[in-house]
Amino acid sequence: MKLARKYACRYRGNDGSYSHTSGDGTPTRKKCARCGGPLDTETGLWGVFTWTGTGRYPEADAHEVFNGIARAERYAEKANAANPYANLVVRWIPKVSS
């Protein structure tokens, strides 16, 4: 499966603001529009998990993995609509591209 990419300003959240540049895919700019900071890019997958409250979601526990957040969210929403007790959430699974 092709890995997904996401990017965010290195300084996002440092000043209490989350309005710094971030998104999915390849960045369209080299620096943050808000502060001019560098953009860090990660590769990985989006996983659909049963919410545990621990903050730990290993890939092995994923119900399904996707290379796009929209597809992962649609899968989770449909499953949660069909079963309100499913408690499925979408989480990022970082990967090192080879």
Side-chain angles (χ1 to χ4, degrees):
M1 174 179 285
K2 182 179 176 185
L3 295 177
R5 293 179 67 176
K6 72 176 192 169
Y7 60 91
C9 174
R10 183 172 297 165
Y11 306 119
R12 182 175 187 235
N14 287 357
D15 58 1
S17 169
Y18 288 91
S19 62
H20 292 264
T21 301
S22 65
D24 294 317
T26 304
T28 56
R29 56 187 329 123
K30 293 184 187 264
K31 295 185 177 189
C32 176
R34 183 169 194 270
C35 71
L39 299 178
D40 294 329
T41 304
E42 279 187 82
T43 56
L45 296 168
W46 294 98
V48 179
F49 300 90
T50 301
W51 183 77
T52 61
T54 64
R56 295 186 180 100
Y57 297 95
E59 185 177 357
D61 293 347
H63 292 269
E64 198 72 48
V65 292
F66 298 91
N67 59 7
I69 189 170
R71 290 181 58 215
E73 287 177 340
R74 275 195 305 273
Y75 178 92
E77 287 170 7
K78 283 182 179 180
N80 285 332
N83 178 4
Y85 299 104
N87 282 332
L88 297 183
V89 295
V90 176
R91 297 291 185 259
W92 176 252
I93 306 168
K95 294 265 192 190
V96 176
S97 54
S98 50

